[in-house]
Every structure is written in C-alpha cells, then in structure tokens.
Amino acid sequence: MSEVNKQEDQLMVQIRNMNKWYGDFHVLKNVNLDVRRGEKIVICGPSGSGKSTMIRCINHLEEHQEGDIFVNGIEMASDIKKIDAIRKDVGMVFQHFNLFPHLTVLENCVLAPIWVKKVPRKEAEAVAMQYLERVKIPEQALKYPGQLSGGQQQRVAIARSLCMNPDVMLFDEPTSALDPEMIKEVLDVMIELANEGMTMLCVTHEMGFAKTVADRVIFMDGGQIIEENEPQEFFNNPQHERTQLFLSQILNH
Amino acid sequence: MINEQQPTLPAPASTIGLVGWLRTNLFNTPMNSIATIVMLYLCYLWLTPIFDWVFISADWAGTTRESCTSGGACWVFITQRIDQFMYGFYPADETWRLNVTFFAFVALIAWLIWPNLPKKGLVAAFTLLIFPFIAFVLLSGGYFGLEHVETHKWGGLSLTLVLAVVGIVAALPLGILLALGRRSEMPIVRAMSVAYIEIWRGVPLITVLFMASVMLPLFLPEDMHFDKLLRALIGITMFQTAYMAEVIRGGLQAIPKGQYEAADALGLGYWQKMVMIILPQALKLMIPGVVNTFIALFKDTSLVLIIGLFDLLAIVQAAQNDPKWIGYATEGYVFVAFVFWIFCFGMSRYSQHLEKMLHTGHGSRA
Ligand SMILES: Nc1ncnc2c1ncn2[C@@H]1O[C@H](COP(=O)(O)OP(=O)(O)OP(=O)(O)O)[C@@H](O)[C@H]1O
Ligand SMILES: [Mg+2]
C-alpha cells in the first residue's frame, strides 16, 4: 500500500485511457501517459495529430470525455475547485505568448500571484523581478508587451508562469512563432529551467532541444501516442514506420 | 546591381503648406478644379443667408416680440424663456438645486476624464454609487428641509439631462452584464440574455414608452402610485441596455481566444478574468460603438414628449404655441438642435480623443 502511494507520489501527471471528441471527430484515442516528478518530456508529431489538445487537457483548457487525469495527485473533474487547484500547480506557455497587451511586463507577472495566490503586491513584485532576471530581461519590466521582440515576449510569458511557482510546465510550440534568431534565447531559458529540475511537457519540433534535455520523446499521430522512447533511441532507432517517416521529413529540411 | 546611397531631399515646395494642400486635394485635375469652384459657389449661395439670419440681422435684446424688427432670427424668444427651457416648471426659488447637481456632476466627470488626477477609482465609485442618491435628494427634495418638487414639474434641458445621464450610467453596466450573459456557458443564463436582447431590440422606443406610461398602470393596482418619470427612466434603460449589450458583445468577440486561455491557465476566476483582462481590452475597442449608443440615447430622450414629459424639445414646442410668441418656431427648433448638437458633438470629440490616447498610450497590439 505504502509502496503504491510512494509510486503515485512520484507521478506529476497521470493520463489514463483518455479519449476526447470534437463533435464526431475522435481527436484523442486512448491516450496513456505518466510523467514523473522532474521528468522532461518532448512531444512531437505531424500537424493535427492532437499534441496541443493533449497537453491542454492537462490544465483543462480542453475537456476530455473519457478516462482519468491526475495532476500532482489531484483528480481532474469538472468541479471548478479541482480545476482551480490543478491550474495553480500547472504553468503554461503558448505559441503566441498570449501576454496581456494592456498591462506592463511587471503587471503581467504579478497579476495572478496577487489575485489568485493572494501574495502581497510588494512580495509579488520582488518575486517577479527575480524571474525576469532569470529570463534576462529585468530592464523591460515597465514596458508593454507590444514594445518587445517576439523572443522577449516569450521569455516574459515563461517568467509570468514561473511567478505562480508551478510544479509542472506545459509548453505548446513555444518557439514556432519566433524568427530564427530569437529561438535560441528562448530555448536557452527552457534548458536552464530543465536543468533546475522543473517537470516539463513540451510540444516542439526543436530536435536539438529534445536531444539536450528530454528524458523521453513521445511521437503522436492521428490522436494516438505511437511511440515513446529516450531521445537517443528515439532518433537513432525509431521503431514505427510513421515515426521514421516523420523524422526523415523534419530532419531533412 | 548595386544601389548607391541616395541623398535625403526636401519635399517639392508645391506639395507642402496650404497652397500645396489645395493643389493636391482640390485643384489637382481640371475636373476637380471645376467641382471645387462650383461647390464653393453653392456654399456661398446657401450659407450666406443662413449666416445672415442667425447672426447679422438677428435680434438679441428685448423682452417681447415687438423687439424683433430686423427680419432675422428673433433670439429674444429664447432669451426671454431661457429659464423655462433650462429648468422646466421647477420652482424658481429652487433652481439652485438643479445648478448644484449639474455642476457637481460636471466636476466629477471632469475629475474622471482629466489626465493624471489621483484617486480616480474612488471618484468613479462615488459618482456611480453615492452621487445618484445625493442628486435624487437634491432634485426631488422632501428631506433636510428641502421642498419636495414633484417630477411632473421637472422639465427642459435639466429633464433631458436626467433622462440621458441615468440612461447612460445604468445601461453601460447592465449592458456589460447582459453581454457577458449572452456569451456565458450556462445555457439558462445565455437563453435569458438572448431573449431579453432580442425582445427589447425588436420593439421601437416609442412603444416602450407608451407601454410604460399607459399600459403599465392598467396592470397595477389602482391606488399604486408609480412615478411617470421613473417609468420612463426604466423604459429607456431597459431599451438601451439591449443595444449596449450588443455593442459590448461585439467588443468581447474581438478579443483573441488566447487572452482567455492565458487567464484561465494562470488560474484567474471568471470575474477576475473578465474585469482585469478581457473588459479593459474590449472597452477600448468598444469606445466608438458605446459613444454612438450614448449619442443615440441622448437624442432618443426627446421621445418622452409623447408621454407628456416636458424635456427640452417638448417645452420649446409648448412655448411656440404661446399666443405671445406665435411664428417663432424656427428659432425654437434651431435652438433645440443646437443644444443637442453641443452635447452630442462633445461626446463624439471626447471619444475620438480617448481612442487616440489609448492607441498611442502604449504601443500595444492584440
Ligand atoms: N476546437 C476545435 N474544434 C474542432 N476540431 C478541433 C478543434 N481544435 C482542434 N481541432 C482538431 O483536432 C485535431 C488536433 O488538433 P491539435 O491542435 O491538437 O493538433 P496539433 O497536433 O497541436 O497540431 P499543430 O502541430 O498544427 O499544432 C486537428 O485535426 C484539429 O483540426
Ligand atoms: Mg498545436
């Protein structure tokens, strides 16, 4: 019994037999995934394979219809209290940053700590400045998002999530809306975060990043997890035909 | 091919300055030149007599129609009755109460729209939540030794302003709630919001006012007294709320989905998300539409004349029927139009200013 508990304790995210439909369209098919505390997972796959949908189910931006999701031991239910509790533990970074354009960088960062976690403003601002320093843009704190470059905006978005002190971070193609010269500055921040032991689920096609930090790479196609392996094996010795095809496509362009 | 660095040259003199502007815009082709000259001539033909009537040969001073001899506008009609046009049948000794209320309100609004004044939140809360009661006590009286002035004595511009301000101040928050209701995920809330909006939008305001003043009393117990002005106010507010809700819904729809998702992902609750993230951005987009609705509402208040309330238009019309002043209807209507125009134009200019300010304020993009 205690053994089981300990094992469960180690699991940050558990997805069990999850199915999801958009109307008649079966978008996620019997997905199973366990993510241990501190584990870094990279998810890849062709467009429309359901990668975004899967990770968005983890913080209930999308609702699944069948199966169970546990985050940090909390079972996902349509109960608003459960959802709020889970969202406090889960940070998310979006492809298009989704910063609040009417608020300064600093206000973007302190809003949720102040209103959701009831942290005093002074304290929230100090924490925010700390994280802005870590993503290397403390000097932009009083600017508005529209005045920053894409790479800077994405780093602010990462800092904004970190300010809530999450246990797991979800990234949905964080670099695919960026100009090539800005991709590195964002990836560097993510690599640093990974080295500090953050649990991460990252949808990305940056295979260099996957090789550097991932503990496991997951390949999705047609709403299913087709293959998962540690990066070395995954890239050098893909088992599934569809994985081979996908890898040959993205590695050859 | 190699491009050499080109020197920066000043614009040709013929394209800058007033002459340049005239040349590029009004006289750039022979056809345009002819059109410009014809238009100038027509303007001259029409505008000079109007200008002459309003200003040059108008009569301003005097006390009776006998003072109007010059053939131009007889503004004596207005100046003689200006108190009535402003205050209606409000007792002359008590009109200071209207003035105090009006200037207090103007001061509050000025505080709110003047840039960089402190404590705007507090002033806004006071204006919305406490000032209406102060204004009501001042205007209606009956407390603190103030003589009670029944609402059927209210009239003129002050009544127009009461109708418009109450309508605007009530319709905006109610419209926001209704718009949020229409976009709600709760089916019953959504259905009720849709029903409310579609019913009230489908009925002309005149009908609403008739219903409020004629039909409603038929359904109420006979001894129940329900103030006519209050009924009109409720009717106007209900009606305008539906329009406001649709304008606001348009603004809400323009906010990218990512903003909702980011707020959700951070764990913000529904009201926190709406009040701090969505509405501030949406309101900025909605300014033209909201002000447009305000202006329409302001002008629509004159419809209350059909239920026997004497707003500015009604009271001026009534004065025109005074045997002493028969024949000066034009002056009356021009005056009413001018007063309405001042207020509507003011709102319009302010909204333009606000839009510009918000757009340049921070180089933000959605
Ligand atoms: N709101 C929605 N309604 C209906 N279908 C949707 C909706 N959102 C996504 N889909 C469909 O679900 C499938 C999976 O979408 P998803 O966004 O998860 O794919 P993805 O793997 O993230 O692709 P990409 O690499 O393009 O981001 C797609 O076929 C998409 O068209
Ligand atoms: Mg996606």
Side-chain angles (χ1 to χ4, degrees):
Chain A
M1 179 73 195
S2 73
E3 192 115 305
V4 175
N5 264 352
K6 211 175 224 170
Q7 206 188 357
E8 300 273 295
D9 229 30
Q10 289 297 311
L11 289 178
M12 194 63 231
V13 178
Q14 266 179 291
I15 299 177
R16 293 259 176 279
N17 303 324
M18 175 170 74
N19 281 285
K20 174 171 177 58
W21 288 264
Y22 283 122
D24 286 340
F25 176 49
H26 196 174
V27 56
L28 292 178
K29 297 170 188 159
N30 205 32
V31 170
N32 283 286
L33 179 65
D34 285 348
V35 184
R36 288 188 308 278
R37 206 170 281 276
E39 204 176 14
K40 292 111 191 80
I41 301 219
V42 163
I43 301 153
C44 60
S47 180
S49 56
K51 309 177 295 291
S52 299
T53 310
M54 182 181 81
I55 67 165
R56 288 156 61 88
C57 284
I58 296 172
N59 66 350
H60 203 263
L61 287 185
E62 301 287 350
E63 197 165 13
H64 66 288
Q65 280 94 31
E66 276 177 13
D68 303 311
I69 301 177
F70 294 86
V71 180
N72 217 358
I74 309 167
E75 183 179 4
M76 176 76 73
S78 40
D79 173 8
I80 196 88
K81 283 222 182 78
K82 288 268 175 61
I83 297 171
D84 282 347
I86 288 177
R87 282 177 178 168
K88 272 187 202 165
D89 293 344
V90 181
M92 183 156 196
V93 174
F94 301 87
Q95 182 177 3
H96 296 288
F97 332 134
N98 298 354
L99 293 175
F100 306 130
H102 61 302
L103 301 177
T104 62
V105 164
L106 187 61
E107 286 171 90
N108 264 279
C109 292
V110 298
L111 187 88
I114 289 176
W115 291 95
V116 180
K117 291 204 159 166
K118 315 291 179 206
V119 179
R121 175 171 279 272
K122 274 252 170 62
E123 202 176 302
E125 284 181 356
V127 171
M129 285 312 294
Q130 229 172 306
Y131 281 116
L132 287 174
E133 237 147 77
R134 269 179 51 184
V135 301
K136 301 178 189 67
I137 34 173
E139 72 282 0
Q140 313 285 1
L142 299 180
K143 288 199 184 163
Y144 287 91
Q147 297 166 306
L148 305 186
S149 74
Q152 290 173 323
Q153 291 193 47
Q154 193 60 298
R155 285 184 283 151
V156 172
I158 294 174
R160 177 175 72 177
S161 286
L162 292 176
C163 282
M164 286 297 279
N165 197 17
D167 293 318
V168 51
M169 289 281 286
L170 311 175
F171 294 83
D172 191 358
E173 308 205 31
T175 56
S176 57
L178 296 176
D179 293 337
E181 71 269 22
M182 295 173 187
I183 291 178
K184 186 174 177 301
E185 63 188 51
V186 171
L187 288 181
D188 284 348
V189 167
M190 290 169 62
I191 291 170
E192 208 172 294
L193 194 59
N195 291 338
E196 286 162 18
M198 175 64 76
T199 314
M200 293 164 69
L201 277 93
C202 187
V203 177
T204 183
H205 293 155
E206 291 295 330
M207 291 306 143
F209 174 79
K211 285 174 188 162
T212 320
V213 306
D215 297 311
R216 255 189 298 159
V217 182
I218 285 177
F219 175 71
M220 286 185 77
D221 195 9
Q224 282 171 292
I225 294 182
I226 301 289
E227 184 165 348
E228 57 174 294
N229 217 330
E230 46 194 52
Q232 191 76 15
E233 278 294 295
F234 182 86
F235 289 110
N236 296 339
N237 193 13
Q239 300 299 309
H240 206 284
E241 206 177 305
R242 278 193 267 179
T243 320
Q244 290 160 5
L245 182 67
F246 175 77
L247 285 177
S248 71
Q249 277 166 350
I250 63 162
L251 294 178
N252 289 342
H253 74 216
Chain B
M1 198 176 79
I2 296 168
N3 286 317
E4 279 176 35
Q5 180 101 31
Q6 299 292 321
T8 312
L9 299 174
S14 60
T15 62
I16 51 177
L18 177 64
V19 177
W21 186 87
L22 288 174
R23 253 194 220 167
T24 46
N25 290 293
L26 300 180
F27 296 97
N28 52 346
T29 65
M31 259 322 276
N32 265 359
S33 302
I34 294 171
T36 302
I37 290 166
V38 170
M39 290 310 289
L40 280 176
Y41 181 65
L42 289 178
C43 285
Y44 171 78
L45 272 191
W46 286 325
L47 291 182
T48 32
I50 293 178
F51 190 77
D52 179 65
W53 183 82
V54 173
F55 295 105
I56 313 253
S57 50
D59 294 291
W60 298 84
T63 48
T64 64
R65 61 186 301 161
E66 272 68 53
S67 317
C68 296
T69 49
S70 58
C74 181
W75 298 123
V76 182
F77 168 54
I78 307 295
T79 54
Q80 275 303 299
R81 296 198 161 234
I82 193 74
D83 279 355
Q84 200 187 41
F85 293 168
M86 293 295 118
Y87 307 121
F89 310 108
Y90 213 82
D93 292 341
E94 305 289 330
T95 51
W96 62 270
R97 285 153 57 177
L98 292 171
N99 292 339
V100 167
T101 312
F102 176 74
F103 286 111
F105 183 70
V106 169
L108 287 170
I109 294 295
W111 189 299
L112 289 176
I113 67 184
W114 201 271
N116 300 327
L117 281 182
K119 302 237 185 318
K120 279 190 197 283
L122 212 65
V123 175
F126 177 81
T127 311
L128 271 180
L129 303 175
I130 302 179
F131 183 72
F133 293 99
I134 298 177
F136 176 76
V137 169
L138 257 175
L139 294 182
S140 165
Y143 302 93
F144 309 114
L146 290 172
E147 182 191 330
H148 178 52
V149 183
E150 286 165 7
T151 54
H152 66 79
K153 291 187 184 154
W154 301 17
L157 180 62
S158 50
L159 179 67
T160 297
L161 289 177
V162 165
L163 289 164
V165 169
V166 172
I168 286 170
V169 169
L172 186 60
L174 291 175
I176 289 176
L177 288 180
L178 204 53
L180 294 178
R182 186 162 191 172
R183 287 171 61 84
S184 163
E185 279 166 17
M186 291 177 276
I188 295 184
V189 173
R190 191 170 57 231
M192 281 169 53
S193 304
V194 171
Y196 180 97
I197 292 170
E198 295 308 336
I199 288 171
W200 286 92
R201 280 210 308 173
V203 183
L205 181 55
I206 292 210
T207 320
V208 175
L209 290 173
F210 264 130
M211 295 274 279
S213 85
V214 184
M215 305 271 285
L216 198 61
L218 297 181
F219 298 112
L220 292 175
E222 209 152 282
D223 53 345
M224 190 166 148
H225 178 73
F226 199 174
D227 191 271
K228 193 197 240 175
L229 176 59
L230 182 61
R231 277 183 270 148
L233 279 173
I234 292 175
I236 288 177
T237 302
M238 303 276 259
F239 182 82
Q240 294 295 345
T241 297
Y243 274 91
M244 196 59 79
E246 285 301 278
V247 172
I248 289 163
R249 190 167 67 100
L252 290 175
Q253 263 164 348
I255 303 301
K257 218 171 121 226
Q259 294 288 309
Y260 291 87
E261 291 176 351
D264 286 340
L266 286 170
L268 294 172
Y270 177 80
W271 289 108
Q272 291 173 333
K273 173 173 71 179
M274 286 303 164
V275 171
M276 294 189 292
I277 308 299
I278 306 302
L279 284 173
Q281 295 184 60
L283 280 165
K284 193 167 124 183
L285 300 171
M286 289 163 351
I287 291 169
V290 167
V291 173
N292 205 20
T293 312
F294 284 172
I295 290 175
L297 188 158
F298 192 89
K299 294 188 291 187
D300 280 352
T301 56
S302 56
L303 287 173
V304 296
L305 76 89
I306 60 147
I307 58 168
L309 288 174
F310 284 90
D311 78 312
L312 179 64
L313 177 62
I315 212 153
V316 171
Q317 266 189 341
Q320 288 159 5
N321 295 332
D322 179 344
K324 283 188 283 184
W325 288 102
I326 291 278
Y328 291 110
T330 314
E331 282 83 346
Y333 286 127
V334 168
F335 171 71
V336 172
F338 179 69
V339 173
F340 270 96
W341 180 80
I342 291 277
F343 281 95
C344 295
F345 185 66
M347 286 193 270
S348 161
R349 292 305 304 197
Y350 181 66
S351 95
Q352 280 171 23
H353 164 76
L354 205 57
E355 251 179 279
K356 221 184 273 167
M357 211 174 63
L358 289 173
H359 271 288
T360 53
H362 30 88
S364 61
R365 49 172 203 220

